[in-house]
């Protein structure tokens, strides 16, 4: 209706303009000028009316974004770290990079039973493709590797075969079981001795049995101290493991700490056995003083126990490169056979169990050293030559300049 009204007004104005112009053609000049002005005004009114009546053009809607391309099967398989096989029927049609590393490049196109050559996997892989399941595999890729093979149906005769590496989990579980068994054994042995001697003493009441009681009490005191050392080492190891993700932040003068340790361990029989070689002007290391002191006591103490009692134990603290301080503890003793070296830092592992117990060892000393070095973000190396001796080397990071300034203050 609004458009019709405006259009009608425009028509009337146009007609009036025509009449005025027609009359003005025969009129006087003044009348002609007035008519011309009236015509111009009417024309302006017509332009304004036409402009107002124009309907605004609708704004164009933005074009929708292009649809993302569907991910390729190869991209989906490659995004998973575990070995994956896409199987149609019994043929492997796709394999990700992890599967090729473990099984070989030939697996694509092979029968899945040929791709995964393992007796325990054959039954699961020959089932109907719609069936789910999993099975444990040992020895695939390497003799000590543990895997869990699982299958997931995808429809249309296809299924996804996945290999999940459980080697680290199984190793951790084995370590835990071995630790509990070894700790129980280490505690049970002195406890059995204490109980047996106590029962013997209960029946030894005669005056002539005083020497026997004295000898038994001495043995009992030694067994009790052995248990105390074992419990202390277990608690210490637990605390170190609890803090292993927190990097020590103090600046420690390792040379001065080595001198303190040597002075503490020097006894009447070992006073001249410890030889120190400490470089002058060494910067401090970033560490935990109590743990580094324990590390030094364990290393120097082991060298004194198991080295040749007639020969020196050499303790050297020097700079190694621009970022590390090297601590080396060397003895001249029987040495250690090569097959034992990789296991020396295992808990309760002993090269000679009888000699270790006789020397008062708990079997946890080097395990504690290893965990202290790991917490300090350092490196541990043990070398030994039979008939020559053993050297334990520890590299620890130098403290930052800010920490060194605080230590100097």
């Amino acid at each position: 209706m609004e458009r019709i009204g405006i259009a009608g007004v425009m028509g009337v104005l146009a007609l009036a303009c025509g009449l005025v112009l027609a009359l003005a053609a025969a009129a006087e000049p003044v009348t002609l000028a007035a008519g011309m002005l009236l015509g111009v005004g009417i024309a302006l009114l017509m332009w304004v009316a036409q402009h107002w009546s124009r309907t605004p053009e609708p704004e164009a809607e933005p074009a929708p974004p292009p649809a993302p391309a569907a991910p390729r099967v190869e991209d989906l398989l490659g995004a998973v770290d575990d070995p994956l096989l896409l199987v149609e029927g019994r043929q492997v049609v796709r394999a990700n990079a992890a599967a090729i590393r473990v099984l070989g490049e030939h697996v694509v196109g092979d029968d899945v039973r040929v791709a995964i050559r393992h007796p325990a996997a054959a039954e699961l892989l020959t089932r109907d493709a719609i069936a789910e399941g999993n099975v444990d595999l040992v020895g695939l890729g390497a003799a000590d590797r543990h895997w869990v093979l699982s299958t997931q149906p995808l429809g249309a005769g296809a299924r996804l075969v996945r290999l999940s590496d459980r080697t680290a989990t199984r190793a951790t579980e084995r370590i835990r079981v071995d630790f509990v068994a070894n700790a129980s054994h280490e505690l049970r042995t002195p406890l059995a001795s204490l109980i047996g001697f106590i029962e013997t003493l209960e029946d030894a009441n005669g005056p002539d049995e005083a020497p026997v009681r004295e000898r038994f009490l001495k043995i009992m005191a030694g067994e009790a101290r052995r248990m105390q050392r074992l419990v202390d080492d277990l608690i210490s190891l637990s605390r170190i493991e609890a803090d292993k993700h927190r990097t020590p932040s103090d600046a420690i003068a390792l040379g001065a700490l080595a001198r303190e340790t040597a002075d503490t361990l020097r006894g009447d029989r070992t006073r001249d056995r410890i030889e120190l070689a400490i470089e002058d002007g060494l910067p401090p290391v970033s560490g935990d003083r109590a743990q580094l002191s324990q590390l030094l006591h364990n290393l120097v103490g082991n060298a004194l126990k198991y080295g040749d009692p007639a020969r020196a134990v050499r303790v050297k603290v020097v700079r190694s490169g621009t970022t590390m301080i090297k601590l080396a503890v060397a003895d001249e003793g029987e040495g250690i056979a090569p097959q034992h070296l990789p296991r020396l830092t295992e808990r309760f592992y002993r090269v000679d169990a009888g000699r270790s117990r006789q020397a008062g060892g708990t079997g946890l000393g080097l395990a504690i050293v290893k965990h202290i070095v790991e917490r300090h973000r350092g490196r541990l190396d043990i070398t030994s030559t039979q008939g020559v001796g053993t050297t334990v080397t520890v590299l620890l990071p130098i403290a930052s300049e800010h920490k060194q300034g605080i230590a100097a203050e």
Side-chain angles (χ1 to χ4, degrees), residues 5-34:
I6 294 174
V9 171
M10 289 174 62
V12 172
L13 290 174
L15 180 61
C17 182
L19 291 174
V20 170
L21 292 175
L23 292 173
E28 298 179 356
V30 176
T31 306
L32 179 60

Side-chain angles (χ1 to χ4, degrees), residues 258 261-262 265 274 295-305 313 315 329:
T261 303
L265 292 176
I274 301 177
L295 177 145
L296 281 161
H297 276 80
N298 283 349
L299 292 182
V300 179
N302 279 351
L304 292 171
K305 290 175 187 175
V313 170
V315 180
V329 179

Side-chain angles (χ1 to χ4, degrees), residues 104-179:
E105 297 183 359
H106 66 278
V107 295
V108 178
D110 278 353
D111 188 299
V112 66
R113 295 168 299 175
V114 177
I116 304 177
R117 296 176 180 271
H118 198 284
E123 181 182 357
L124 179 62
L125 296 174
T126 53
R127 292 180 189 172
D128 193 337
I130 64 172
E132 297 182 23
N134 59 74
V135 65
D136 293 335
L137 306 180
V138 179
L140 185 65
D144 59 346
R145 298 291 292 274
H146 292 258
W147 303 86
V148 174
L149 182 147
S150 59
T151 61
Q152 179 68 37
L154 301 177
R159 56 181 164 175
L160 186 68
V161 177
R162 178 173 183 170
L163 289 167
S164 301
D165 193 352
R166 296 289 185 267
T167 305
T169 304
R170 296 295 176 86
T172 302
E173 179 65 18
R174 185 174 63 252
I175 290 172
R176 186 189 66 81
V177 172
D178 291 345
F179 173 74

Side-chain angles (χ1 to χ4, degrees), residues 334-351:
E334 298 177 2
I336 302 170
Q339 66 269 22
H340 295 295
L341 293 177
R343 303 190 61 188
L344 287 179
T345 57
E346 293 181 13
R347 301 171 186 182
F348 299 110
Y349 185 81
R350 296 180 175 94
V351 177

